[in-house]
């Protein structure tokens, strides 16, 4: 069975700090409200309770999972909510002990007792959550969701039903793995981005594909812009000082601009020395993930925790490699990145709670490497090789955030993933594909086997690695 995953499934606009622990639970809360409406139970509801399990429970506080659920139950949309309103909405719920379900029905709600952090794991997935509503007539409605990474939310019974029905993808070029994608590119004599584009326009009008891809890019650009122009301490208690601001100031000096687009053009005109290239790339990646850590708006790429890699590498291409590049190349880059991410999701995982940080930073680095390779003129074979190289050198990377916060080591890891992506693309461009020894699909298989072998304490639980080696109170 081929699974249809769109570029827009892989690159989602949302709010930080985590796609699996923030955006996923937020979307799950929205789906729960829709179920109540469908069952004609919403207007009868007098109380709701949410049970969080596994990784959601162990690191949920640091990932603002409770905030996300309250916002979702309130009827707020993570794509469009003004992020400056988030704290006020949450604090109002906490102070009044009331929540306005779907922005319609006001009911009692105590965040301290109605959101329960259970430390045990549900068997289906590490990120499980159960919503329960209680009606005045004694009716209870229970629904369980799983946040499986990248903002994707599923119900176990629907996954099993899909397997039994063997639903076939409607794309003209359905791909379950890298080998199938490459075969399409060769037989159709097309670039990988052209194969992806054909799939996308089979689902929606060309104008919509164009506008949505550019909306994703403009969100990324604005995120980098905000991060480079914001200073201070990140929330959460680790007292992490924002670094992108100072780094950016040291690189750009005195410059006049007033919008993210003008900022981009200003950087393009700035003379960049060799050593500064690494600083610029790191600055872009830091900027995104500092915004993410502050509950800002980012694009999951493929997750919030790895949201800085792809925009940083795309900015590198625009400001260092090709000053003439425009919308055509931006769309090309995003389509390739999204397709590579979807192949990893189908063959392995993009959830750190299932696979460690190799599933987030590793996958994002592979996505960025492949995309960069194509826009720099690489063949489809070299594009897949670039993805393989990037992931190969992230295998086994653990997820061990201090305090359950998407800050240390997460923010810096985005800079490492971006630099490795650029290096992987360069290596692939200099390699004859005939001499490739390791197919991308083999690396994806290996990543999944590594994920299954990895001790659970290194899968976004904050019970191993740096999370226990460093005392949060000493930070």
């Amino acid at each position: 069975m081929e699974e249809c995953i769109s570029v827009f499934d892989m690159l989602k606009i949302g709010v930080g700090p985590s796609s699996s622990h923030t955006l996923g639970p937020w979307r799950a809360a929205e789906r729960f409200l829709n179920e109540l409406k469908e069952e004609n139970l919403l207007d009868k509801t007098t109380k709701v309770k949410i049970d969080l399990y596994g990784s959601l429970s162990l690191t949920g506080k640091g990932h603002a999972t409770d905030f996300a659920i309250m916002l979702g139950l309130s009827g707020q949309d993570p794509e469009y909510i003004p992020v400056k309103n988030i704290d006020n909405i949450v604090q109002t719920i906490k102070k009044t002990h009331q929540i306005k379900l779907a922005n319609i029905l006001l009911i009692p709600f105590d965040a301290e007792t109605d959101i329960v952090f259970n430390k045990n794991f549900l068997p289906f997935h590490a990120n499980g959550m159960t919503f329960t509503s209680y009606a005045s007539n004694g009716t209870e409605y229970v629904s369980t969701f799983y946040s499986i990474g990248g903002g994707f939310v599923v119900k176990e019974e629907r996954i099993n039903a899909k397997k039994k029905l063997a639903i076939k993808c409607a794309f003209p070029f359905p791909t379950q793995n890298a080998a199938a994608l490459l075969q399409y590119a060769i037989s159709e004599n097309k670039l990988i981005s052209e194969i992806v584009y054909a799939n996308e326009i089979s689902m929606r009008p060309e104008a919509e594909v164009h506008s949505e891809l550019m909306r994703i890019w403009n969100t990324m650009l604005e995120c980098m812009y905000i991060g480079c122009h914001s200073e201070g301490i990140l929330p959460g208690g680790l007292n992490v000082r924002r670094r992108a601001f100072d780094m950016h100031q040291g690189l750009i000096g005195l410059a006049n601009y007033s919008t993210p687009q003008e900022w981009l053009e200003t950087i393009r005109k700035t003379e960049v020395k060799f050593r500064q290239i690494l600083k610029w790339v790191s600055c872009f990646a830091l900027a995104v993930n500092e915004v993410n850590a502050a509950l800002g708006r980012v694009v999951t790429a493929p997750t919030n925790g790895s949201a800085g890699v792809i925009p940083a590498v795309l900015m590198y291409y625009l400001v260092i490699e090709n000053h003439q590049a425009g919308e055509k190349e931006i769309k090309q880059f995003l389509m390739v990145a999204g397709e590579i991410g979807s192949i990893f999701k189908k063959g392995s995982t993009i959830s750190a709670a299932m696979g460690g940080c190799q599933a987030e930073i590793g996958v994002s680095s592979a996505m960025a490497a492949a995309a960069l390779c194509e826009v720099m003129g690489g063949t489809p074979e070299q594009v897949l090789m670039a993805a393989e190289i990037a992931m190969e050198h992230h295998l086994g990377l653990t997820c061990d955030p201090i305090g359950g916060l998407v800050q240390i080591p997460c923010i810096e890891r985005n800079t490492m993933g971006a630099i490795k992506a650029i290096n992987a693309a360069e290596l692939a461009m200099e390699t004859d594909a005939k001499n490739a020894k390791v197919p991308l699909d083999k690396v994806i298989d290996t990543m999944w086997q590594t994920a299954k072998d990895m001790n659970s304490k290194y899968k976004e639980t904050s019970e191993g690695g740096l999370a226990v080696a460093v005392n949060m109170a000493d930070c």
Side-chain angles (χ1 to χ4, degrees), residues 6 10 18 72 116 122 158 168 172 194 213 217 226 267 290 302 313 376 420 445:
S6 166
M10 297 306 303
S18 170
V116 181
L122 297 181
R158 292 183 184 177
K168 188 170 178 63
E194 293 173 326
L213 285 171
W217 164 242
I226 291 170
I267 300 173
E290 287 173 355
V313 175
M376 289 176 65
K420 284 186 179 182
D445 289 343

Side-chain angles (χ1 to χ4, degrees), residues 191-198 331-333 335-336 374:
L191 297 174
I192 286 175
S193 61
E194 293 173 326
I195 296 293
V196 178
Y197 185 69
K331 292 185 292 182
Q332 185 180 358
F333 189 104
M335 285 190 288
V336 174
E374 180 171 300

Side-chain angles (χ1 to χ4, degrees), residues 168-183:
K168 188 170 178 63
C169 179
F171 281 163
F173 302 110
T175 56
Q176 190 65 20
N177 53 42
L181 177 61
L182 180 58
Q183 187 55 47

